[in-house]
């Protein structure tokens, strides 16, 4: 991944976080550019927030579908009883 780029426009993937390289601070100073690190961490936080939101929605949908399936199975078994 090219130095200084976050990702290809979509959500961050683990490889983006693992492979990201920060620019070093210039003018003889050692270390990373603090603004770049903050921007990257902000993007990671945004993507994690979106993923947690998506996970919560999927969990709710899964629970709703399980309830519907149980209700349908119950109704079906009631009809099949002699």
């Amino acid at each position: 991944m090219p130095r200084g780029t976050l990702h290809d426009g979509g959500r961050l993937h683990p490889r983006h976080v693992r492979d990201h390289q920060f620019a070093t601070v210039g003018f003889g100073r050692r270390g990373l550019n603090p603004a770049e690190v903050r921007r990257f961490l902000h993007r990671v936080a945004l993507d994690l927030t979106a993923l947690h939101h998506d996970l919560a929605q999927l969990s709710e949908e899964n629970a709703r579908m399980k309830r519907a399936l149980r209700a349908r199975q119950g109704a079906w078994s009631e009809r099949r009883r002699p």
Side-chain angles (χ1 to χ4, degrees):
M1 179 152 77
R3 190 177 184 84
T5 61
L6 283 181
H7 60 341
D8 57 7
R11 282 194 177 153
L12 286 170
H13 295 278
R15 67 178 167 80
H16 293 127
V17 176
R18 196 173 31 253
D19 298 341
H20 188 77
Q21 295 181 5
F22 296 98
T24 55
V25 178
F27 305 110
R29 294 173 53 201
R30 293 173 29 183
L32 303 174
N33 182 333
E36 185 180 345
V37 173
R38 278 192 303 277
R39 279 192 306 273
F40 185 79
L41 293 176
H42 180 71
R43 182 56 195 250
V44 170
L46 288 175
D47 280 357
L48 285 174
T49 299
L51 289 170
H52 283 267
H53 180 262
D54 291 351
L55 180 60
Q57 284 185 319
L58 289 171
S59 294
E60 289 173 17
E61 177 70 8
N62 186 31
R64 186 192 65 75
M65 292 177 79
K66 283 181 179 180
R67 286 191 302 272
L69 179 60
R70 282 190 210 105
R72 186 167 266 235
Q73 287 172 333
W76 179 256
S77 67
E78 288 294 321
R79 278 188 257 162
R80 299 206 22 113
R81 286 191 184 150

